[in-house]
Every structure is written in structure tokens, then in C-alpha cells.
Amino acid sequence: MTVIDLNADLGEGFGRWRLTDDEQLLSVVTSANVACGFHAGDAATMRRVCELAVGRGVTIGAQVSYRDLAGFGRRAMDVPPAELAAEVAYQIGALEVFARAAGARVAYVKPHGALYNRVVHDEEQAHAVVDGVLLADASLPVLGLPGSRLLELAGKAGLPAVPEAFADRAYTDEGTLVPRGRDGAVVTDPDAVVERSVSLARFGTVVAHSGARIRMRARSLCLHGDTPGAVELARRVREQLVASGVRVEAFV
């Protein structure tokens, strides 16, 4: 039987402001990418999401990013490798406190936004992220784009490298994400998102922005929590995956 993990970016708020419906999404997903305070999130939010995740049996992951609250971590930044490694470790460590307090542990690491896209090709920045993970916990899996420098270097460093796919993001023919600034970069049609999810999980393929069908093998499928109707769409995706004979469970 085909097995797939469903992950979502959660805890993406700050203070009284909340972007994601964490409680409802945690009833659907199997892994939670929790913002660690650099692009979103704060101490109280991290604690709350960890407690909710443990209560629902959802695996906790650290979503690390550039230090960019104002830009939601989506702006390109040039951070010296040693500094970036330290900041990645810092974010993992901050979330680990709250995961342990809730009775769990940080189980994996996933970069966010501009950092996620940068480490697809940038070896220096990818190396820094890997170094940061090793500094925090040399056993943590790293979640990222198939074929990325990040996953390649993580594997070489002895970290489990876990490929993921996006049902609601457009792909280039080379298997990279279409930049958000381009038309069609985000797939908004719910039926299309559901169909793409099943295709990715069962067949390891997806239709690229050009219309070509490309290979995209992944162990985890990301469902964005900051889009309108995210909770209902996530439920539809999970229901259709199960109906198609796919077992939905965490990769850790």
C-alpha cells in the first residue's frame, strides 16, 4: 500500500495575530511544521501548537527560516553560513523546549520560504542549514524538495533526507517551484489540488506549469495552512487519498 505523510505549516502567527487555523488543521495532518519565531510564531504560540499536536498524535517539526518577521521569511537574504547555522540550531532548540514540555520531541526540520527555495541550488546555504541541524541534533530528518542540494548534503552528513511535494504549488519542468510572483504559481482550484494530491501520492507525478507531466517522488505532501479554505481543502485531500487506497501516516 502507498503511504504518504501530510504536513502543514502551523503556528504562523505573532502575539494576538493568527494566520493559520492550527486546531482544525491538526485534526487532518500527520506532521506539523511549527514556526520557530523567525518568520512567524512566538513562545506562547509554539507552546500552544505543541500541546495541540501532542493531543492529536501529530508529529512536531521545526520550520526554520531567515530572521525576517516583516517579510514572513519570503524575502531573499544573504546570511553568513556560520550565522545561519547558529540561527537554525537556535530555532530548533527553542521549539524543542515546548515539544518536550508537551511530552514529545522535535522530530524533523523543514526550511521555510526564501530559505527553502535558496537551499535547492545554493550549496553554501544548504551546508549551513545542515550544520545547524547537526548542531542541534544529529539524528533529525530534513524535509525538502526532491533533488535539492539540501537533501543531498543532509544525506551525506548522515541525516535522513525526506522528499516532499506541494499539491497547491506549480512546478517547473525541472521539478522546482514556480516563484510566487509569477501567474499560476499557486494552484487555487480545490478540485485540481485534490487531483494533484492523489497523483503525487499514488503515481509520483504531477502536471508542471508548462502542461508537461513530470516525476515527483515524495514521502510527504505539504498542505498550506495560510490559504483561504485551507481546512476544508485539507480534509478533502485526506479523504480522497484514503478513498484511493493511500495510507496517511507520519514519516517519522
Side-chain angles (χ1 to χ4, degrees):
M1 177 180 287
T2 301
V3 182
I4 197 76
D5 169 61
L6 294 181
N7 77 76
D9 301 345
L10 301 178
E12 291 186 329
F14 194 81
R16 297 177 61 186
W17 175 72
R18 295 186 184 181
L19 177 63
T20 49
D21 189 344
D22 300 323
E23 189 164 2
Q24 292 301 315
L25 283 167
L26 283 166
S27 68
V28 181
V29 300
T30 47
S31 295
N33 317 316
V34 183
C36 299
F38 272 36
H39 74 281
D42 53 38
T45 301
M46 286 190 278
R47 182 179 184 181
R48 175 179 56 82
V49 175
C50 285
E51 290 173 347
L52 288 170
V54 171
R56 288 161 175 74
V58 175
T59 300
I60 296 170
Q63 185 161 47
V64 299
S65 73
Y66 289 125
R67 188 190 293 269
D68 182 27
L69 274 175
F72 196 59
R74 287 180 175 164
R75 297 185 293 191
M77 303 183 76
D78 289 315
V79 180
E83 182 178 337
L84 179 57
E87 292 191 338
V88 166
Y90 179 93
Q91 292 175 79
I92 297 168
L95 186 64
E96 176 70 5
V97 169
F98 300 114
R100 285 194 183 190
R105 298 289 301 272
V106 170
Y108 66 94
V109 178
K110 174 184 172 178
H112 165 82
L115 182 58
Y116 186 98
N117 290 315
R118 181 76 170 266
V119 297
V120 171
H121 299 298
D122 190 316
E123 181 166 356
E124 185 178 65
Q125 295 283 280
H127 230 307
V129 172
V130 170
D131 287 345
V133 176
L134 291 170
L135 183 60
D137 184 340
S139 68
L140 286 175
V142 176
L143 191 61
L145 197 73
S148 64
R149 298 296 286 156
L150 175 65
L151 292 193
E152 178 187 349
L153 293 173
K156 288 181 178 179
L159 299 170
V162 183
E164 74 164 341
F166 297 82
D168 60 354
R169 288 295 311 277
Y171 284 92
T172 67
D173 288 357
E174 293 72 38
T176 58
L177 296 175
V178 173
R180 281 183 174 268
R182 287 181 53 187
D183 290 341
V186 178
V187 180
T188 57
D189 179 10
D191 291 335
V193 173
V194 173
E195 181 182 351
R196 289 162 67 89
S197 299
V198 174
S199 179
L200 284 163
R202 291 195 62 200
F203 309 114
T205 64
V206 68
V207 175
H209 192 262
S210 67
R213 184 168 291 275
I214 62 173
R215 302 290 293 175
M216 184 61 56
R217 291 287 184 187
R219 176 62 181 85
S220 187
L221 187 64
C222 182
L223 305 173
H224 281 104
D226 60 346
T227 54
V231 173
E232 181 55 35
L233 179 57
R235 288 198 180 105
R236 282 190 59 192
V237 167
R238 179 159 185 164
E239 289 170 358
Q240 193 57 48
L241 286 170
V242 173
S244 301
V246 177
R247 187 168 76 245
V248 179
E249 64 179 36
F251 63 85
V252 179

